[in-house]
Amino acid sequence: MKELAIGIDGGGTSCRAAVADRDGNVLGRGKAGPANILSDLENSLLNIVESARQALSDAGLDAESVASVVSVVGVAGANVMDYGQRIERALLFTEGRVVTDALISLQGALGDADGIVGAFGTGSVYSARRNGRLKGIGGWGFIVGDQASGARLGRDLMERSLLAHDGVRPASPITEAVMTEYGNDPERIVEFAHTARPKDFASYAPMVFKHAAEGDVVAVGIVRDAATAIGESLDALLWPECPSICLLGGLAEAYEPWLSERYKPLLARPKNDALQGAVELAVKLLNDKQRGAA
Amino acid sequence: MKELAIGIDGGGTSCRAAVADRDGNVLGRGKAGPANILSDLENSLLNIVESARQALSDAGLDAESVASVVSVVGVAGANVMDYGQRIERALLFTEGRVVTDALISLQGALGDADGIVGAFGTGSVYSARRNGRLKGIGGWGFIVGDQASGARLGRDLMERSLLAHDGVRPASPITEAVMTEYGNDPERIVEFAHTARPKDFASYAPMVFKHAAEGDVVAVGIVRDAATAIGESLDALLWPECPSICLLGGLAEAYEPWLSERYKPLLARPKNDALQGAVELAVKLLNDKQRGAA
């Protein structure tokens, strides 16, 4: 009978799981539907459990043949209300711990080292590990936060396109492209904005970076504002001996040239992804538990 | 049998109507529920018609005893899709014209003179009459516009309170008051922000102005940004001979001390309110019609 560790990255697009032995060797992998626990807890629980079962099956094991399985699930919203406990209860066949998506990203990117991680996709969120202690900031959503998120870049683009349409701020190739897309009808932009979800706004982020690279004055303004916001958040976390800063997520590379020079010497490639971070944390938990039992 | 003009101010809180003779003497007034034609056309139509009937009744008239009634309805969204025509059809007993709320506000504030009107309440919108020609800008809603609206002031306050909570931007008495109100739990602010309607955000506007007047650094920053946005919009409309600028709406007085000095010589009190503007336009329409028939 084996003792196993399962790491699960419960993401908004899919849940991915990997099962490892106590030395961290990955034995199998699984994948299931998305986990959005704040909007659909029930299906999120099913998908988290399913990804774990697939990983065990991929490793040639079934849940019943396993003496001891420790799991770590990283998922957005794990720290909200009692969602973490509800996920732990759903993972009946394991001894589980539910942590934030930020923690498994940080563990994946930095391993056991200190440092800062900033993640830039549809949202934006930062975390730091300093002398082993964790601190997270940002990630409050694009309505009143996530200043460097794809959603904010897209929302800013719509706002500045309307200001250009009204003659309040200068027009540029990117605002003209937006107005053309919406048939030069500002009402249609307003209609889009009032039904758009974060990912709908974020779909404009690549267009913003493309025009900014070409020197478009409006796009450059939008990206500079976001890069300034990144700098402010990094400064809030940074300390003199901080060994590295990892930028993660779909927009990380696009932001790099826009960051202040003073962060560039610290920039480092992430060691691993969030799933690997979850596996590492699960392996630690398994070994801690055995030391506790010894 | 009388010839009458009815002006109707179809507002988001209530519909107000006034009936006048062809010399503009108001004979009666009426009031009914709100008109929000974009979100509830059916009840908006009922309330618009009801306010007109009450005004006729207040004047001692009933719709049937009147030979000719001309009406002008000012309502937000009148320029969107076919809403204007649908309102005209609902006002069966009158010959009607439906115009934007901005136009009746401008007519009320400026009378027949040229000038600029800026309205600052839950939203923010500008209009100008120059050599008799009308131009409107802004009013696109707080998600991607309305930079000087109460809704944006409140949304900015929530955003800066979260930044202060994270240690990214300085805290101040106003951000501390917000955090205290939400039990020092940023998640509760996020929850509020994701369900808040424009008027919910706008309910924080008086608090922002109060703290700004006391020198609160964060509140001053929020109000200065909004006042800068007002200046940019005024500049987009202003011309050398512009005789006056009228600021309307619940936040107009609060903004005045924050405006750039260069607008202050032009500031003028509005002559009348939007309802009176609607009456004036209706009287004009009645007289034009009679000239046409003569």
Side-chain angles (χ1 to χ4, degrees), chain A residues 25-183:
Chain A
N25 301 306
V26 171
L27 309 173
R29 295 175 181 278
K31 191 173 174 181
N36 294 298
I37 63 174
L38 301 183
S39 58
D40 185 359
L41 182 63
E42 196 178 341
N43 282 307
S44 299
L45 294 176
L46 292 173
N47 288 329
I48 288 168
V49 171
E50 177 58 21
S51 69
R53 287 197 182 277
Q54 286 196 11
L56 287 168
S57 157
D58 185 48
L61 303 156
D62 54 45
E64 292 70 25
S65 74
V66 178
S68 170
V69 186
V70 164
S71 69
V72 167
V73 184
V75 64
N79 51 343
V80 179
M81 301 200 285
D82 65 340
Y83 288 127
Q85 288 163 43
R86 292 166 79 168
I87 297 169
E88 285 175 13
R89 282 199 298 272
L91 285 161
L92 277 176
F93 58 91
T94 78
E95 181 174 331
R97 185 169 295 178
V98 179
V99 301
T100 63
D101 52 340
L103 178 56
I104 62 169
S105 290
L106 181 131
Q107 182 68 37
L110 303 179
D112 293 333
D114 278 358
I116 295 175
V117 168
F120 308 99
T122 301
S124 66
V125 63
Y126 307 82
S127 50
R129 190 198 276 134
R130 179 177 178 181
N131 301 325
R133 284 191 59 190
L134 292 167
K135 184 179 176 183
I137 62 174
W140 303 122
F142 86 109
I143 297 177
V144 288
D146 287 17
Q147 287 81 7
S149 64
R152 279 292 279 265
L153 294 176
R155 192 181 76 179
D156 280 1
L157 176 60
M158 295 300 138
E159 179 163 351
R160 297 193 199 205
S161 298
L162 289 170
L163 287 168
H165 171 82
D166 278 346
V168 173
R169 294 273 194 95
S172 74
I174 197 172
T175 67
E176 280 158 18
V178 169
M179 291 312 304
T180 301
E181 180 184 340
Y182 288 89

Side-chain angles (χ1 to χ4, degrees), chain B residues 79-237:
Chain B
N79 49 344
V80 180
M81 301 200 284
D82 64 340
Y83 287 127
Q85 289 162 43
R86 291 167 79 167
I87 297 169
E88 285 174 14
R89 282 198 298 272
L91 285 161
L92 276 177
F93 58 92
T94 78
E95 182 173 331
R97 186 169 295 177
V98 179
V99 300
T100 63
D101 52 339
L103 177 56
I104 62 169
S105 289
L106 181 131
Q107 182 68 37
L110 303 179
D112 292 333
D114 278 359
I116 297 175
V117 169
F120 308 99
T122 301
S124 66
V125 64
Y126 307 83
S127 50
R129 189 198 277 133
R130 179 178 179 180
N131 301 325
R133 283 190 60 191
L134 293 166
K135 184 180 177 185
I137 62 174
W140 303 121
F142 86 110
I143 297 177
V144 288
D146 287 16
Q147 287 81 7
S149 65
R152 278 293 277 265
L153 294 175
R155 191 181 78 180
D156 280 2
L157 176 60
M158 295 300 138
E159 178 162 354
R160 296 193 200 205
S161 298
L162 289 169
L163 286 168
H165 171 82
D166 277 347
V168 173
R169 293 274 194 94
S172 74
I174 198 172
T175 67
E176 280 159 17
V178 168
M179 292 312 304
T180 300
E181 181 184 341
Y182 287 89
N184 281 303
D185 182 356
E187 290 286 353
R188 283 184 52 202
I189 294 182
V190 173
E191 204 178 308
F192 164 77
H194 280 77
T195 56
R197 289 159 299 177
K199 67 173 187 170
D200 300 322
F201 279 119
S203 70
Y204 287 92
M207 178 183 178
V208 173
F209 280 112
K210 180 179 162 287
H211 280 81
E214 292 163 1
D216 183 288
V217 62
V218 173
V220 166
I222 293 170
V223 173
R224 283 220 176 111
D225 283 357
T228 300
I230 293 175
E232 288 175 348
S233 288
L234 293 178
D235 287 344
L237 293 172

Side-chain angles (χ1 to χ4, degrees), chain B residues 30-45:
Chain B
K31 190 173 175 182
N36 294 297
I37 63 174
L38 300 183
S39 58
D40 185 359
L41 182 64
E42 196 179 340
N43 282 306
S44 300
L45 293 177

